[in-house]
Structures are given as structure tokens and as C-alpha cells.
Amino acid sequence: MNATTHTELMQIAKEAADYITKLNGESETFDVYTENYTATIDYRATIGEDAGDRRTASSWWIESEEVQVEGVYNEEGEEV
């Protein structure tokens, strides 16, 4: 792997992490684009909820998260 490829893969990872943070537990499949690659990423989260009672407000939290890279494709659309 050359330095350019490494840099682009690191860019994909950073952009994916930033996007997942903004999802705030909302499951989604999304694409990340760089100059030479497109990555398709599947994020799944399980949400825990507490309805609360007359003294406490309802609340929620992320119980579990899973991220899977479905594929990374070059400019020609070939999986790499």
C-alpha cells in the first residue's frame, strides 16, 4: 500500500466516524467519498429506553453499535 492509498483510507475512516457520531444512534447505510475511492458503510445501533415515571423524565441510550464496511470501490466502480 502506498502513502496516497493509506492517506485516503484514513480519510474514509475519519469521515465515517464523524458521520456516525452525528447519527446519534440512528441506524443507516451511507457512502464516504475520497478522490479515488468510495466506501459503503453500514451502521447499526440498538437503543435502550426508559419511559420514566412521575418523578423522572424518559431517557434513552445506545446499548450496542456495529459498523461494517460493505465495500470500497475505485474510480471504475470495481471493489478493491
Side-chain angles (χ1 to χ4, degrees):
M1 174 184 329
N2 63 37
T4 302
T5 301
H6 177 76
T7 300
E8 285 194 65
L9 292 176
M10 294 303 292
Q11 180 182 349
I12 287 171
K14 181 184 181 327
E15 288 183 27
D18 290 346
Y19 190 80
I20 288 168
T21 299
K22 292 175 186 172
L23 288 174
N24 205 23
E26 193 79 27
S27 297
E28 185 176 326
T29 300
F30 59 95
D31 292 331
V32 176
Y33 303 95
T34 64
E35 186 175 329
N36 298 303
Y37 301 102
T38 300
T40 301
I41 299 173
D42 184 44
Y43 168 74
R44 298 288 162 226
T46 303
I47 303 297
E49 297 184 56
D50 180 348
D53 59 25
R54 64 187 185 108
R55 293 179 303 237
T56 62
S58 58
S59 62
W60 67 272
W61 58 89
I62 299 172
E63 285 188 347
S64 65
E65 297 176 288
E66 180 179 327
V67 178
Q68 182 171 346
V69 177
E70 297 289 326
V72 179
Y73 308 93
N74 65 16
E75 297 166 317
E76 289 81 36
E78 299 168 339
E79 190 167 3
V80 293

